[in-house]
Short mmCIF file of all heavy atoms in Angstrom, two decimals:
data_model
loop_
_atom_site.label_atom_id
_atom_site.label_comp_id
_atom_site.label_asym_id
_atom_site.label_seq_id
_atom_site.Cartn_x
_atom_site.Cartn_y
_atom_site.Cartn_z
N GLY J 161 83.92 153.39 -27.88
CA GLY J 161 84.75 154.30 -28.69
C GLY J 161 84.65 154.08 -30.19
O GLY J 161 85.35 154.73 -30.96
N ALA J 163 82.92 154.14 -34.06
CA ALA J 163 82.13 155.06 -34.88
C ALA J 163 82.40 156.53 -34.57
O ALA J 163 81.52 157.36 -34.68
CB ALA J 163 80.63 154.75 -34.79
N GLU J 164 83.63 156.85 -34.19
CA GLU J 164 84.03 158.26 -34.09
C GLU J 164 84.41 158.71 -35.50
O GLU J 164 85.57 159.01 -35.80
CB GLU J 164 85.18 158.43 -33.10
CG GLU J 164 84.78 158.27 -31.65
CD GLU J 164 83.77 159.31 -31.16
OE1 GLU J 164 83.50 160.28 -31.90
OE2 GLU J 164 83.24 159.13 -30.04
N ILE J 169 91.11 160.51 -40.61
CA ILE J 169 92.00 161.51 -41.20
C ILE J 169 91.89 161.43 -42.72
O ILE J 169 92.09 160.37 -43.30
CB ILE J 169 93.46 161.28 -40.75
CG1 ILE J 169 93.57 161.53 -39.23
CG2 ILE J 169 94.43 162.15 -41.53
CD1 ILE J 169 94.90 161.14 -38.64
N GLN J 181 94.07 165.43 -33.40
CA GLN J 181 94.67 164.94 -34.63
C GLN J 181 94.69 166.04 -35.68
O GLN J 181 93.99 167.04 -35.57
CB GLN J 181 93.87 163.75 -35.19
CG GLN J 181 93.91 162.53 -34.32
CD GLN J 181 93.02 161.39 -34.76
OE1 GLN J 181 92.99 160.35 -34.12
NE2 GLN J 181 92.27 161.57 -35.84
N GLN J 253 86.02 155.69 -47.54
CA GLN J 253 86.67 154.94 -46.46
C GLN J 253 85.68 153.94 -45.88
O GLN J 253 85.97 152.75 -45.71
CB GLN J 253 87.14 155.87 -45.33
CG GLN J 253 87.91 157.11 -45.73
CD GLN J 253 89.28 156.81 -46.28
OE1 GLN J 253 89.42 156.01 -47.18
NE2 GLN J 253 90.29 157.49 -45.76
N ASN J 256 84.72 150.90 -47.80
CA ASN J 256 85.75 149.87 -47.79
C ASN J 256 85.93 149.20 -46.43
O ASN J 256 86.61 148.19 -46.32
CB ASN J 256 87.08 150.46 -48.28
CG ASN J 256 87.08 150.63 -49.80
OD1 ASN J 256 86.71 149.71 -50.53
ND2 ASN J 256 87.45 151.81 -50.27
N VAL J 257 85.35 149.78 -45.39
CA VAL J 257 85.46 149.15 -44.06
C VAL J 257 84.26 148.24 -43.79
O VAL J 257 84.44 147.05 -43.54
CB VAL J 257 85.62 150.18 -42.93
CG1 VAL J 257 85.78 149.45 -41.58
CG2 VAL J 257 86.84 151.07 -43.15
N GLY J 289 86.74 153.14 -56.11
CA GLY J 289 87.36 152.23 -57.08
C GLY J 289 86.31 151.47 -57.86
O GLY J 289 85.20 151.23 -57.38
N LYS J 294 81.28 149.13 -55.64
CA LYS J 294 80.69 149.88 -54.55
C LYS J 294 80.08 151.20 -55.03
O LYS J 294 79.72 152.05 -54.24
CB LYS J 294 81.74 150.13 -53.46
CG LYS J 294 82.08 148.82 -52.76
CD LYS J 294 83.13 148.92 -51.71
CE LYS J 294 83.25 147.54 -51.07
NZ LYS J 294 84.22 147.46 -50.02
N GLY S 184 81.78 142.46 -49.16
CA GLY S 184 82.66 143.55 -49.55
C GLY S 184 83.25 144.35 -48.39
O GLY S 184 83.94 145.34 -48.61
N ALA S 186 85.70 145.15 -45.03
CA ALA S 186 87.11 144.94 -44.64
C ALA S 186 88.08 144.92 -45.81
O ALA S 186 89.07 144.22 -45.78
CB ALA S 186 87.24 143.67 -43.78
N GLU S 187 87.78 145.68 -46.86
CA GLU S 187 88.78 145.88 -47.92
C GLU S 187 89.72 146.98 -47.45
O GLU S 187 89.77 148.08 -48.00
CB GLU S 187 88.09 146.23 -49.25
CG GLU S 187 87.36 145.09 -49.90
CD GLU S 187 88.28 143.94 -50.32
OE1 GLU S 187 89.52 144.10 -50.27
OE2 GLU S 187 87.75 142.87 -50.67
N ILE S 192 91.72 155.31 -48.41
CA ILE S 192 92.56 156.33 -49.04
C ILE S 192 93.27 157.11 -47.94
O ILE S 192 92.64 157.65 -47.04
CB ILE S 192 91.70 157.27 -49.91
CG1 ILE S 192 91.14 156.49 -51.11
CG2 ILE S 192 92.51 158.48 -50.37
CD1 ILE S 192 90.13 157.26 -51.94
N GLN S 204 91.32 153.36 -57.40
CA GLN S 204 91.33 154.59 -56.61
C GLN S 204 92.75 155.17 -56.59
O GLN S 204 93.73 154.49 -56.87
CB GLN S 204 90.88 154.30 -55.17
CG GLN S 204 89.43 153.91 -55.07
CD GLN S 204 88.98 153.47 -53.69
OE1 GLN S 204 87.83 153.11 -53.50
NE2 GLN S 204 89.88 153.46 -52.72
N GLN S 276 92.71 155.32 -38.61
CA GLN S 276 91.36 155.27 -39.20
C GLN S 276 90.54 154.17 -38.52
O GLN S 276 89.40 154.40 -38.10
CB GLN S 276 91.42 154.96 -40.72
CG GLN S 276 92.39 155.77 -41.55
CD GLN S 276 92.04 157.23 -41.68
OE1 GLN S 276 91.82 157.88 -40.67
NE2 GLN S 276 92.03 157.73 -42.89
N ASN S 279 89.29 154.64 -35.05
CA ASN S 279 88.13 155.53 -34.98
C ASN S 279 86.86 154.93 -35.58
O ASN S 279 85.78 155.47 -35.39
CB ASN S 279 88.46 156.88 -35.64
CG ASN S 279 89.34 157.73 -34.75
OD1 ASN S 279 89.08 157.88 -33.56
ND2 ASN S 279 90.43 158.24 -35.30
N VAL S 280 86.98 153.82 -36.30
CA VAL S 280 85.78 153.19 -36.85
C VAL S 280 85.26 152.10 -35.92
O VAL S 280 84.12 152.15 -35.48
CB VAL S 280 86.02 152.62 -38.27
CG1 VAL S 280 84.73 152.01 -38.82
CG2 VAL S 280 86.50 153.71 -39.23
N GLY S 312 94.60 160.94 -31.88
CA GLY S 312 94.17 162.04 -31.03
C GLY S 312 94.25 161.68 -29.56
O GLY S 312 94.15 160.50 -29.19
N LYS S 317 92.73 156.39 -27.19
CA LYS S 317 92.99 155.25 -28.05
C LYS S 317 94.48 154.97 -28.20
O LYS S 317 94.89 154.17 -29.02
CB LYS S 317 92.34 155.48 -29.42
CG LYS S 317 90.83 155.41 -29.30
CD LYS S 317 90.08 155.62 -30.57
CE LYS S 317 88.59 155.46 -30.26
NZ LYS S 317 87.72 155.62 -31.39
#
Side-chain angles (χ1 to χ4, degrees):
Chain J
E164 288 297 351
I169 294 172
Q181 294 174 180
Q253 312 291 52
N256 284 312
V257 182
K294 291 178 176 180
Chain S
E187 288 296 350
I192 293 172
Q204 292 174 182
Q276 312 292 53
N279 284 313
V280 182
K317 290 180 178 181

